[in-house]
């Protein structure tokens, strides 16, 4: 059993930056995947970025490539999402998710993840 707790959401001006953190509890292995998804009001949940817990493989959605960076903080045992140059369309509830094996081909598939956090809200205002 893995429990995921997100933090770091808030309100930010367009063009600004924000960092989200996901803290997993339970047994995590280097092959496990940790990803961020987001859901805007009235829209489906969409993949944002994912990383192998071992830190050696990542994948990004095209919409955030070059603006967002996913990384593992080894000192805090968290997976962080560094979001820069935020846009209004980045607004939504951001969820952390975990699966048994990270695969860049299936990382964007929500059904591949067994564990989900409660979500943290990001609001980008202009």
């Amino acid at each position: 059993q893995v429990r995921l707790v997100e933090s770091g959401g808030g309100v930010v001006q367009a063009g600004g930056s924000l960092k989200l953190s996901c803290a997993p509890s339970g047994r995590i292995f280097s092959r496990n995947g940790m990803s961020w998804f987001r859901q805007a009001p009235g829209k489906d949940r969409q993949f944002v970025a994912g990383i192998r817990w071992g830190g050696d493989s990542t994948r990004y959605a095209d919409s955030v490539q070059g603006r967002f960076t996913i990384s593992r903080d080894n000192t805090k045992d968290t997976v962080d999402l560094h979001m820069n140059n935020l846009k209004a369309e980045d607004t939504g509830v951001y969820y952390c998710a975990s699966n048994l094996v990270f695969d860049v081909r299936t990382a964007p598939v929500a059904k591949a993840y067994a564990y989900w956090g409660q979500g943290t809200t990001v609001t980008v205002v202009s």
Side-chain angles (χ1 to χ4, degrees):
Q1 185 75 18
V2 175
R3 182 169 175 260
L4 305 172
V5 179
E6 304 101 332
S7 62
V11 180
V12 62
Q13 292 277 341
S17 299
L18 207 58
K19 186 185 83 170
L20 305 181
S21 292
C22 175
S25 61
R27 297 192 70 180
I28 304 293
F29 301 96
S30 61
R31 67 180 182 272
N32 292 158
M34 303 288 291
S35 292
W36 287 94
F37 287 75
R38 67 187 180 192
Q39 188 165 19
K43 295 189 176 181
D44 293 334
R45 193 168 297 190
Q46 63 175 190
F47 173 76
V48 176
I51 188 169
R52 193 192 314 271
W53 182 248
D56 56 343
S57 182
T58 59
R59 179 169 175 174
Y60 295 89
D62 290 343
S63 59
V64 306
Q65 183 77 47
R67 299 189 297 123
F68 291 11
T69 301
I70 189 169
S71 63
R72 180 186 166 190
D73 186 326
N74 293 324
T75 60
K76 297 180 180 179
D77 267 351
T78 60
V79 169
D80 299 333
L81 185 67
H82 301 263
M83 305 184 294
N84 297 316
N85 191 20
L86 283 160
K87 305 176 181 179
E89 51 264 42
D90 294 318
T91 293
V93 179
Y94 282 68
Y95 297 93
C96 181
S98 175
N99 62 3
L100 291 178
V101 180
F102 183 79
D103 185 328
V104 292
R105 296 167 297 179
T106 59
V109 181
K111 291 182 179 179
Y113 295 83
Y115 303 103
W116 292 84
Q118 293 299 307
T120 185
T121 301
V122 173
T123 303
V124 184
V125 298
S126 55

